[in-house]
Amino acid sequence: MLAIGLVFIVLLVVGAPVAFAIGLSGFVFFATSDIMPMSIGVQKIATVSQSFPLLAVPFFVLAGHLMNESGITDRLFKFSHIAVAWMAGGLAQVSIILSTLMGGVSGSAVADAAMEARVLGPQMISQGYSKGYSAAVIALSSLITATIPPSIGLILYGYVGQVSIGRLFLAGIVPGILMMLFLMTTAWLVARKRSYRVEGSAKPTAAALGTATWQAKWALLFPVLLIVSIRGGLFTPSEVGAFAVVYAVLVGTLAHRELTLEKMGRAFGHAISDIGLIMLIILMSGMIGFAIIFLQVPQSIAGAMLQGLTNPVAIVAVILVSLFVAGLFVESTILVLLLTPIFVPIVQKVGVDPVHFGILMMTIVTLGSMTPPVGVAMYTVCSLLDCRIEDYVRESVPFLAAILVLVLTLLFFPSIVLWLPNLAFG
């Protein structure tokens, strides 16, 4: 197992694509094994692709791009602007609200951060917000998409860890809303201290807010339909992904009348690129995932981590710290695919609900996309806003502190995460 890890790290250091780094690391195991023939490794790559639950990933990715091209994003932006732009740090509040709403559309933190950096970033800077503050708000608010359904990360976690995706979707709603409130409070406190001016002169009227809500009704209705259809047994999580694609096309063509053939083609092009990237990583993880299980890595790590620790909260806290450190260097999708088979058996052994752990894990590993040294969302936003990394890091400290406080709250009070799925599924 040490050889596999060394090969993986070396390949990442020299700049090899992540999918190839994973694939070659798994290849090393089969090439050096006296027991396992190489043909088994090839079979494991093919086996990973033969998964019905995994169909949810390409469907939701495509649905997100179709919704972005169908005018849904513009309507969500208008709704968010009218609802909260009057507050201190108004555009920062708009960014956080928009991330919460877009989480139910894109399912991708990086996609959400890139979109908001293009739409909101220039406006925030022109209104006197510092580049570091603007970049920090946009990047860290995109973390909400890690829990708000349909989170791509939760789908992968449920698939790899054999955890109910329906329960994970429901479990992510309350933490996602709490994260929105924690970040909005932090943005408000910082904006008040710096006297960032209020963007609107008064609170919105009921008529203006009602009009904006009505215009964004199809986007606001989508997460509700998603949850109700899964809970009602109408669709499985994979089937609801297909429903999301149909829903996006119908809304874009019949309701909004903005989804032209040209825009649809562009959405398919972006989706194919994203799906190819994600699926190649998933396929290559088949070999190394089998190696991890075959070498009994979960049992070894469990023995080491459980030694001297008996409190389930302490064990999960240690795991989360290790995940946070790993997330600083490795992209969240890879961590979910490689570490879920290791940690889920451990938390189950100590009596922790894997749904509860999944929400905590996805929050922590996705946070790595917003932090140095290899945060994809961080670099995306900073490059689009021409913001120095040092300024971003300094301004992100209060928002990181708010997120860590929330994670600790969810860790010590699991009922916050589990009450909604328990209420719906029993």
Side-chain angles (χ1 to χ4, degrees):
M1 191 62 202
L2 180 61
I4 296 174
L6 289 174
V7 171
F8 179 67
I9 293 172
V10 169
L11 289 171
L12 287 181
V13 170
V14 300
V18 172
F20 293 112
I22 294 175
L24 289 173
S25 301
F27 175 81
V28 167
F29 166 74
F30 288 96
T32 57
S33 176
D34 296 329
I35 304 172
M36 289 292 167
M38 186 60 66
S39 59
I40 298 296
V42 177
Q43 290 175 20
K44 291 302 172 183
I45 295 176
T47 301
V48 171
S49 66
Q50 308 302 307
S51 169
F52 186 71
L54 202 59
L55 283 173
V57 174
F59 278 134
F60 277 120
V61 170
L62 175 58
H65 285 291
L66 286 170
M67 289 183 179
N68 286 337
E69 296 288 349
S70 66
I72 283 179
T73 301
D74 294 337
R75 286 165 174 78
L76 288 177
F77 172 74
K78 183 178 180 180
F79 169 81
S80 303
H81 196 278
I82 290 176
V84 297
W86 57 272
M87 301 171 65
L91 288 178
Q93 308 292 355
V94 172
S95 173
I96 297 167
I97 289 286
L98 190 56
S99 290
T100 308
L101 298 176
M102 285 299 296
V105 175
S106 68
S108 168
V110 177
D112 174 68
M115 180 275 294
E116 290 192 25
R118 293 188 183 97
V119 175
L120 277 171
Q123 292 187 47
M124 294 178 71
I125 294 171
S126 67
Q127 293 289 340
Y129 297 69
S130 71
K131 288 184 177 180
Y133 177 82
S134 303
V137 169
I138 291 172
L140 286 164
S141 65
S142 69
L143 180 64
I144 299 172
T145 62
T147 61
I148 291 287
S151 164
I152 301 298
L154 288 180
I155 296 172
L156 294 178
Y157 172 86
Y159 161 67
V160 177
Q162 299 298 301
V163 181
S164 168
I165 296 176
R167 290 181 65 89
L168 286 168
F169 277 2
L170 282 175
I173 295 175
V174 174
I177 293 174
L178 286 176
M179 192 179 299
M180 175 193 75
L181 296 175
F182 274 56
L183 291 175
M184 288 182 69
T185 303
T186 305
W188 181 81
L189 291 172
V190 175
R192 281 284 298 262
K193 183 178 180 180
R194 298 182 182 179
S195 300
Y196 285 148
R197 66 190 183 94
V198 176
E199 305 301 332
S201 58
K203 296 181 181 181
T205 63
L209 188 59
T211 300
T213 302
W214 178 255
Q215 291 176 345
K217 61 183 178 298
W218 299 112
L220 299 174
L221 186 61
F222 172 66
V224 178
L225 291 175
L226 184 149
I227 296 299
V228 170
S229 61
I230 292 177
R231 174 61 189 91
L234 185 61
F235 299 119
T236 66
S238 302
E239 292 167 346
V240 84
F243 162 75
V245 173
V246 176
Y247 184 85
V249 172
L250 291 177
V251 170
T253 55
L254 300 180
H256 294 169
R257 300 183 183 277
E258 294 185 24
L259 188 61
T260 62
L261 289 176
E262 180 183 355
K263 290 184 176 181
M264 194 178 296
R266 186 162 60 234
F268 270 89
H270 291 315
I272 289 171
S273 176
D274 289 348
I275 293 167
L277 175 65
I278 295 172
M279 292 306 299
L280 187 59
I281 293 174
I282 293 173
L283 292 176
M284 290 298 102
S285 69
M287 286 194 296
I288 197 169
F290 175 81
I292 288 172
I293 296 173
F294 180 80
L295 295 174
Q296 296 187 326
V297 174
Q299 291 85 337
S300 301
I301 294 179
M305 297 191 73
L306 298 180
Q307 186 175 6
L309 289 176
T310 57
N311 190 312
V313 173
I315 294 169
V316 174
V318 170
I319 294 175
L320 292 178
V321 171
S322 65
L323 286 172
F324 178 73
V325 174
L328 297 177
F329 303 97
V330 184
E331 205 270 327
S332 60
T333 303
I334 294 98
L335 290 179
V336 172
L337 292 170
L338 298 185
L339 299 183
T340 298
I342 295 176
F343 289 133
V344 167
I346 295 176
V347 298
Q348 287 180 316
K349 184 176 181 179
V350 298
V352 175
D353 193 308
V355 172
H356 177 215
F357 176 72
I359 300 301
L360 296 174
M361 177 177 178
M362 280 313 308
T363 302
I364 289 296
V365 299
T366 309
L367 187 60
S369 297
M370 295 91 193
T371 53
V374 294
V376 178
M378 175 189 71
Y379 286 120
T380 299
V381 172
C382 287
S383 62
L384 289 172
L385 299 184
D386 192 26
C387 173
R388 296 190 307 167
I389 300 299
E390 311 90 86
D391 296 336
Y392 168 89
V393 171
R394 184 177 63 255
E395 297 278 13
S396 66
V397 170
F399 297 99
L400 285 171
I403 290 168
L404 293 177
V405 169
L406 174 61
V407 170
L408 288 174
T409 303
L410 298 178
L411 173 61
F412 285 100
F413 301 98
S415 58
I416 297 175
V417 178
L418 297 175
W419 80 269
L420 191 55
N422 287 343
L423 180 66
F425 291 97

